[in-house]
Structures are given as C-alpha cells and as structure tokens.
C-alpha cells in the first residue's frame, strides 16, 4: 500500500527539499546488516570532517559488495576518502582498500563496488577522511554451491516521527543472518501542502538521484535508473528476485468511478521486459526455492462486511487508508493499490508460479502482518468453485514503526472468515520477519518489539508459519 497508507508524519522545520526527496523512489535493496556494529561514532575532535550519517552496505554478490558512507565536509568542496575492508574487526587483515572523492555533485556520498571477495564470508569495512575514522560496518557475501540454510531478516517502513527503530537494533544484534531484505520506505517525505509538491517528472528524477546517491546499491541500467529490479542467488538453495512495481510500468490505481477496470488486461504493475526477466529467474532450475521481494500485497483481500470498518466516518477512513481510497466493485470492498487492482496482471503471474512451483512472495509496505496462500480464486462461495489449488505462498512483514490499523485489530477473525486463503493477520504490531530457508521448508517468524516509543525495546515472537517444499501452500501445523 506504498507510502500512501495511514498517517502522515509532519514535515520538520528546517528540512531542505533535497532532504525531503531522499528515499522517494520505491525500489529495493538487499542490505546485509545495515547498521554499523561498532567503531568510535565517526568523529575526531578538531578534524572537521564527520561521518555523522554512519555507514551501510548492500547488494552483496558472492565476490563483491557495496560499502557506502556520507562525509560531512570541512567546507563544501570535494573531500578525499579512503576505505578498507578486512576479515577482522581490528583491521589487522585488510583484504581490499582504496580511495575515492566525496563530490558535492553526489551530495558528498561515497560508494564503491568492492570486488575480489570470498563467498559466504563476513567482512568489516570503514572509511577515513581528514584524520577521522568512520564507524565500522559489518557485511557478508553470498554463498555459492551446496547451501544448507539461508536466514534473512525482512523489513520495511521506518518512520522516525512515529517511534524509535528498535527492530533494527534487535536485527543488528544477531549474528546468524545472511542478509537483511528491505522493501522500501527507508524514510518518509511529505510536503506540507500537496498542491505545492511540484512537477511529477522533476520530483521523480530528483528522488531517483538521491536514491542512488544515498543507497548502497548497484546501478542496474545506467540509461534508465528506474530499472531497479535485480536478482540475488544464495548458492543452490534460494534465488531472490526483487521487483520494481512503482516507477516503470504501474497503471494508476482505479477509483470508484472506474472500479470495473480492475479486470482490464492492459492494467499493469510490471512491463513485459520485467515480466520476461522474472520468468527467466523463476524458471532457473539451479535453485530449490524461488523467493520474490516486492512492495504490493499480492494475495486477495476483501474487506466487505467488517463492521468496525463500515462504522468509521469517511474522514477517519480516509486518514487510515491514505491517498488511495477503497473501491467497491462486484459486491466487495478492496484496495485498488494492491495487486487486487491489477487482476489480469496477477493472473499472469499466478500462471507462471503454477508452472515453476516453490514460489514464496515476500512483501512489505502495508504496515501490517499477513500470511496467505496465493490462489487464483480463493473464494468458493462468491467465486469460481474450481478456481484451482494454491500456486505459492505470501509472507507480509510489519513496519518498523509506521502506523498500522490497530483500530481494526478486533476484526482479524472476520477478515479470515471473509478470506479463507489468509492464515495469519496482525494489524497493530511493529517489528520484522525472519525468513528461515532449508531444503525442506521456508519458515517465517514474526518478531514484534514491545514498544516503539522505547529507545531500546525488547521483542517477542508473534507467530511462526511455514511452507513445505513441493506443496505450494502454507502448512497446516
Ligand atoms: Fe510505508
């Protein structure tokens, strides 16, 4: 449901337009251990230069990864920066190092594709500028060949005005992860007055520029930076395809006036080029599981008949559901910004899933937690009795802090009754999902923090649900 869902944080005074555009693009990154694990905080008294935005790394492959930092310069000019990668936290065993220039034209951000690394290995990295040393980051390359297990943390939607990012802290404390997968909304930007936001292509291009400057990701297509979809392979166990569903091909969500168009085959979230790329990835027989990462809930969600929802006054409903209002069509109420608003496009995907098997869709950006079977028609009463068996499963991750729908938490059972393919729903909690993969099953664990208003909240396990290889549906246990 994109950055459109639920409450909007207010713009802070003194935040520049450039700051606001940061993170506006909705593409995705695989971010191994995003948060730095130590160091001196990145400041040396008297040096002037600072690493006050910390360090990060992302887009790991078997032999490379992209470390990133931002230098707060002594003056506004170019700033020389050295970088190091080592196999130990004390940097006694440096395996790669080099120099770069933090240019004003790149907002004094620095990143490089550090190559020549060893598969499935933990590395530490840091930057040095003007006598100042950055915090130390921790990262890990992807495994190759025979791979027994892969463990990912999956996250999305971190809004500082709504709370502290304790979930990131809990993830950073773990040492058993291959990578953190982020589905977007790393940060939020909102104008004070949407009438004044300005020209869309201009904002999109500025957002893309900031996205590639401020995210440690690889450029997939220098000719078109909207092409952010890419694939990661974890040995012979997992192929992870990360989709781009916002900028390249998305048809505008329907409104009530054209709600009947949700069946129009011309309505798309993926263009043919991305679909063909995805098909090639899913048909790759070298990996046992096919994971998809994306930002739009794929399984059906019918909301009609929820008394708590129906009793809300319209302004409150609008506030809860954001810029894309629900539409009623064919006797059901649905959110047209999900794949529910692109039915023909979803059917094309489901046919592909049925062909390849063992597909697990990972989704964020809806600020709530879900687990469901993906099924062409899961509604045996109102739909086609012979809609066919499930073709895969979907696990949806909660937000780090962005508001969910706690007011509707009492309606969870009714949602499940109305949507028999949905096996788990939580509308109030915040946290992350551990995706634990081995040859036999993919298990999702929903970990929830106790209090997003606490600086270092504890956490608890909310639910554990899995799918067995070869079944294409959630297990009943
Ligand atoms: Fe969000």
């Amino acid at each position: 449901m994109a950055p459109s869902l639920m409450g909007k944080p207010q713009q802070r005074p003194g935040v520049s337009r450039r700051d606001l555009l940061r993170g506006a693009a909705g593409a995705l990154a695989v971010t191994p251990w995003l948060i730095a694990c130590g160091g001196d905080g990145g400041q040396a008294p008297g040096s002037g230069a600072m690493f006050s935005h910390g360090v990060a790394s992302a887009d790991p492959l078997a032999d490379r990864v992209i470390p990133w930092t931002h230098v707060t310069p002594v003056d506004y000019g170019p700033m020389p920066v050295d970088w190091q990668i080592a196999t130990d936290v004390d940097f006694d065993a440096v395996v790669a190092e080099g120099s770069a220039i933090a240019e004003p034209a790149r907002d004094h951000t620095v990143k490089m594709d550090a190559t020549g690394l060893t598969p499935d290995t933990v590395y530490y990295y840091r930057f040095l500028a003007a006598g100042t040393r950055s915090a130390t980051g921790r990262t890990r390359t992807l495994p190759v060949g025979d791979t027994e297990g892969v463990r990912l943390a999956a996250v999305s939607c971190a809004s500082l005005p709504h709370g502290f990012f304790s979930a990131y802290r809990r993830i950073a404390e773990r040492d058993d992860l291959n990578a953190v997968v982020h589905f977007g909304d790393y940060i939020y930007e909102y104008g004070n007055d949407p009438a004044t936001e300005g020209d869309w292509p201009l904002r999109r291009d500025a957002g893309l520029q900031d996205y590639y400057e401020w995210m440690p990701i690889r450029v997939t297509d220098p000719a078109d930076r909207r092409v952010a979809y890419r694939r990661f392979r974890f040995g012979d166990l997992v192929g992870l395809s990360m989709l781009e569903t916002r900028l390249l091909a998305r048809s505008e969500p329907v409104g009530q006036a054209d709600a009947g168009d949700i069946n129009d085959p011309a309505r798309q979230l993926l263009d043919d080029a991305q679909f063909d790329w995805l098909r090639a990835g899913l048909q790759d027989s070298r990996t046992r599981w096919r994971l998809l990462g994306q930002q739009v809930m794929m399984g059906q969600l019918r909301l009609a008949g929820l008394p708590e929802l129906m009793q809300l006054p319209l302004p409150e409903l609008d506030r809860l559901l954001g810029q894309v209002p629900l539409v009623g069509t064919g006797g059901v109420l649905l959110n047209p910004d999900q794949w529910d608003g692109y039915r023909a496009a979803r059917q094309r995907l489901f046919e592909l899933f049925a062909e390849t098997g063992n597909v697990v869709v990972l989704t964020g950006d809806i600020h709530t937690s879900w687990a469901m079977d993906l099924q062409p028609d899961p509604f045996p009463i109102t739909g086609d009795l012979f809609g066919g068996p499930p073709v895969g499963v979907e696990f949806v991750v909660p937000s780090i802090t962005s508001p969910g729908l706690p007011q509707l938490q009492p309606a969870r059972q009714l949602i499940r009754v109305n949507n028999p393919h949905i096996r788990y729903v939580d509308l109030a909690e915040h946290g992350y999902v551990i995706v634990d993969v081995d040859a036999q099953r993919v298990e999702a664990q929903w970990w929830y923090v106790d209090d997003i208003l606490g600086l270092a909240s504890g956490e608890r396990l909310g639910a554990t649900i899995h799918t067995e290889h070869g079944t294409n549906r959630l297990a009943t246990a």
Side-chain angles (χ1 to χ4, degrees), residues 2 157 185 188 365 367:
C157 299
D185 285 358
Y188 287 79
D365 210 8
H367 303 183

Side-chain angles (χ1 to χ4, degrees), residues 421-450:
H421 58 297
I422 293 178
R423 302 284 297 285
Y424 174 67
V425 53
D426 185 281
L427 303 173
E429 303 286 353
H430 305 279
Y432 60 95
V433 170
I434 293 294
V435 181
D436 192 63
V437 187
D438 64 25
Q440 292 310 313
R441 57 105 180 91
V442 176
E443 180 183 89
Q445 305 165 3
W446 282 261
W447 286 89
Y448 297 133
V449 295
D450 298 325

Side-chain angles (χ1 to χ4, degrees), residues 23 25-32 34 56-61 64-69 106 109-114 180 182 186 207-221 224-230 232 242 244:
L28 307 163
V30 168
T31 311
L34 180 71
S57 70
D59 277 12
L61 299 178
R64 66 192 64 194
V65 71
I66 299 184
W68 172 98
T69 194
R106 292 189 53 82
T109 58
V110 176
K111 64 180 176 182
M112 69 291 303
D113 217 345
V180 178
H182 205 303
Y186 305 90
L208 278 168
Q209 179 185 339
D210 277 349
Y211 184 70
Y212 279 95
E213 286 173 358
W214 282 78
M215 295 295 295
I217 61 168
R218 202 166 280 116
V219 174
T220 307
D221 182 352
D224 185 350
R225 287 181 298 175
R226 297 173 304 165
V227 182
Y229 52 86
R230 51 206 187 279
F232 301 90
M242 303 291 279
E244 198 293 308

Side-chain angles (χ1 to χ4, degrees), residues 249-333:
R250 182 175 74 148
S251 312
E252 258 191 58
V254 299
Q256 190 57 59
D258 56 351
D261 291 353
I262 60 171
N263 294 310
D264 182 350
R267 295 182 47 70
Q268 284 298 337
L269 286 175
L270 310 177
D271 57 16
D272 286 345
Q274 186 173 178
F275 184 83
D276 290 345
W277 167 88
L278 177 62
R279 177 164 48 203
L282 295 186
Q283 288 176 338
D284 185 344
S285 58
R286 292 175 297 174
T287 54
R288 190 163 169 84
W289 291 98
R290 285 104 187 173
L291 269 53
L292 248 73
Q294 49 111 47
Q295 327 93 309
V296 190
M297 197 158 92
M298 191 173 285
Q300 296 87 344
L301 175 61
R302 291 186 177 181
L303 290 168
L306 297 181
E308 289 84 353
L309 195 65
M310 297 305 113
Q311 285 166 10
L312 292 174
L314 266 182
E316 175 73 359
L317 202 58
D318 269 356
R319 190 190 69 76
L320 281 173
L321 298 169
Q323 296 161 341
V324 182
L326 301 178
V327 299
T329 178
V332 300
L333 196 61

